[in-house]
Amino acid sequence: MNSFGKVLTLTTFGESHGSCIGGVLDGFPAGVCIDLDEVQQFVSYRAPACNPLGTRRNEPDTVNFLSGLLADNTTTGAPIAFIIHNKDANSHAYEALKKLFRPAHADYTYFAKYNIEPQPGGGRASARETAVRCVAGGIVRQWLKQRGVYIYPYISQVGPITLPYPLADMQQLTRVYDFASRCPIAEYDRKISKAIEQVRTEGDSLGGTISCLVKGVPAGVGEPLYDKLSARLAYAMLSVNAVKGFEVGDGFAMATMRGSEANDPMFIDEATQSVTFATNHTGGILGGISTGQDLFFRVAFKPTPTVAKKQNTITCNNEQTTIQALGRHDPAVVIRAVPVVEAMAALVIADLILQQKNL
C-alpha cells in the first residue's frame, strides 16, 4: 500500500505532522546525471509556501538526498533515498478535532480500518505525502526528457470556469508553472485566481480538472489486459488525494458518439513512411498500448473538504455534533496537484518503458 510501480518503484513514508516525509526510488537506471536544482524547483511547484492561491502552511520542502547518487549527482543504480523535513506543522490546531470525523476526509474510514483516532492534518492520508511523489517525478522526468518524452499538465477547469478547448500551443504549455493558477492563458488565469480568492473569503472551496498532454511516447508502450497504459495511468491518478475522476482522450464524451465518429482513421505519411492518424479521440492509446500519438488525459479533483462553514458530523463515540474547521487549507487543492499529476505520469511511463526490453 505504500509502494508504487513494478520495475521502477517508489516507496513513501511519513505523516503530515510527523518530523519528516520521505521516499525510496528503486530501479532507476545507473549512469544518469541528475540536476538536483531542477528537482528542487519541480518540488517547489507543489510546495505550499510557493503559491499565493494555496494553503498558508509555510513549508519550503527542501529535499535531502541520502543515497543512490555519486558526488557529481550521477545515479549508481542503487535505491535513491531522500527526506523532506516538516518545518511548519501545527498539531495544536487539531486538538479540538481529535475526536471528530471531518466530513469528506479519510478520518472515518481510517478509524473503521485501523481503530485509530483522527491524526493531526490527516496523518498518512494527508496530501502532504504527494511532495515525495514530486521528488521522484522530478528525477524521472529528466530521464524521460533525455528519451524525448515531455509531459505537459495544466489546469483546464476550476469550479464553473472551464477552458473552451484543449491546449496544444507549446508556448503556453511550457509556461504553465509561471502562472499561479497553473492555467497558462492570462484571461483564464485572472478569472480562476479571482474565483479562488473569493471562495477563500467565504470559507469554502472549489474543485477542478487537470488536463495532461504527453509528447514523445513511442508506439508499443504498455502491457495487454491488466497492465494497460491507460489502466496504469488511471491507477496512478486515482491514488492522488482528492481525485474522483479520470478519462483518456475524449473519455466519457465517446459514449455519445457513433463508431464512425469516434474512430481515428490511419494513414501512411508519404514523406516519412510512418504511421499517422487523422484524429486522436482515443488519447494515444489502443488496446492499452501507446499508438505513438500524443497521450491525452484528464483528472478531476473534488473541492478541498476542509471548509470554514459549519457542518454536521459525529464523534469517535458515535455522538452527533457539528464541526467548523478553522486554520490553513487550500481553497482549491487542484492547483497544487498539477506537478503531482506530472510526477505520477512520469513514474508510470518510465516504469512501462523499463519493462519493454526492445525500447
Side-chain angles (χ1 to χ4, degrees):
M1 61 173 280
N2 297 303
S3 298
F4 177 83
K6 296 196 172 183
V7 174
L8 179 67
T9 65
L10 172 65
T11 300
T12 74
F13 59 86
E15 294 80 34
S16 175
H17 285 222
S19 63
C20 69
I21 53 177
V24 178
L25 181 66
D26 199 5
F28 190 80
V32 181
C33 186
I34 302 299
D35 185 337
L36 298 188
D37 290 335
E38 184 179 322
V39 173
Q40 186 64 64
Q41 180 63 58
F42 182 68
V43 174
S44 75
Y45 295 145
R46 194 221 68 98
C50 297
N51 193 312
L53 300 179
T55 173
R56 301 308 189 213
R57 181 170 175 174
N58 186 19
E59 293 286 357
D61 283 352
T62 303
V63 185
N64 297 294
F65 287 91
L66 306 176
S67 66
L69 299 172
L70 298 174
D72 64 354
N73 299 328
T74 298
T75 59
T76 65
I80 302 173
F82 53 89
I83 60 172
I84 298 173
H85 288 287
N86 291 329
K87 298 288 189 180
D88 193 29
N90 181 16
S91 299
H92 297 296
Y94 289 87
E95 280 296 316
L97 306 177
K98 66 180 181 180
K99 296 287 186 179
L100 304 181
F101 298 130
R102 295 171 298 166
H105 286 77
D107 297 344
Y108 170 69
T109 50
Y110 269 53
F111 179 81
K113 185 174 181 66
Y114 300 111
N115 198 30
I116 295 176
E117 294 179 352
Q119 300 175 60
R124 185 72 176 142
S126 170
R128 181 91 186 106
E129 181 267 348
T130 60
V132 179
R133 306 183 192 208
C134 287
V135 178
I139 295 170
V140 173
R141 72 200 285 262
Q142 294 186 35
W143 181 75
L144 287 174
K145 287 178 181 179
Q146 293 173 13
R147 301 178 68 90
V149 178
Y150 294 85
I151 305 171
Y152 302 103
Y154 61 91
I155 290 290
S156 55
Q157 177 188 359
V158 171
I161 304 168
T162 305
L163 291 185
Y165 51 83
L167 297 186
D169 186 319
M170 295 310 298
Q171 288 188 336
Q172 293 175 332
L173 290 170
T174 55
R175 295 187 59 221
V176 167
Y177 294 115
D178 293 341
F179 293 81
S181 72
R182 306 309 187 218
C183 180
I185 299 178
E187 175 189 357
Y188 282 87
D189 174 63
R190 289 191 295 271
K191 288 181 179 179
I192 291 170
S193 298
K194 183 179 179 180
I196 290 175
E197 292 299 349
Q198 177 62 37
V199 81
R200 190 202 296 273
T201 64
E202 296 170 359
D204 217 328
S205 62
L206 292 170
T209 301
I210 296 173
S211 294
C212 190
L213 181 71
V214 186
K215 289 184 169 291
V217 177
V221 175
E223 302 296 327
L225 300 181
Y226 304 113
D227 262 352
K228 293 178 178 179
L229 173 56
S230 47
R232 292 283 291 275
L233 284 170
Y235 175 66
M237 300 307 156
L238 288 166
S239 76
V240 178
N241 309 61
V243 171
K244 288 297 181 181
F246 175 83
E247 63 177 359
V248 178
D250 287 352
F252 286 98
M254 295 184 79
T256 68
M257 297 179 180
R258 295 188 176 194
S260 56
E261 298 173 305
N263 292 344
D264 299 317
M266 300 176 66
F267 301 93
I268 296 296
D269 186 307
E270 293 185 2
T272 63
Q273 289 299 298
S274 60
V275 175
T276 186
F277 297 78
T279 53
N280 191 17
H281 297 297
T282 62
I285 302 174
L286 288 171
I289 299 171
S290 61
T291 64
Q293 294 174 278
D294 293 344
L295 300 184
F296 184 73
F297 60 88
R298 300 178 186 87
V299 188
F301 287 74
K302 70 178 183 181
T304 311
T306 302
V307 296
K309 295 181 178 293
K310 185 175 289 188
Q311 302 174 85
N312 291 323
T313 190
I314 61 173
T315 70
C316 297
N317 298 319
N318 289 336
E319 298 169 333
Q320 192 72 50
T321 186
T322 60
I323 183 174
Q324 187 171 13
L326 301 174
R328 308 169 299 182
H329 65 276
D330 291 272
V333 71
V334 66
I335 302 300
R336 290 203 296 125
V338 171
V340 181
V341 165
E342 180 174 354
M344 295 308 292
L347 288 168
V348 168
I349 294 166
D351 190 21
L352 286 169
I353 287 176
L354 289 169
Q355 287 181 240
Q356 295 283 92
K357 300 296 184 181
N358 60 338
L359 286 180

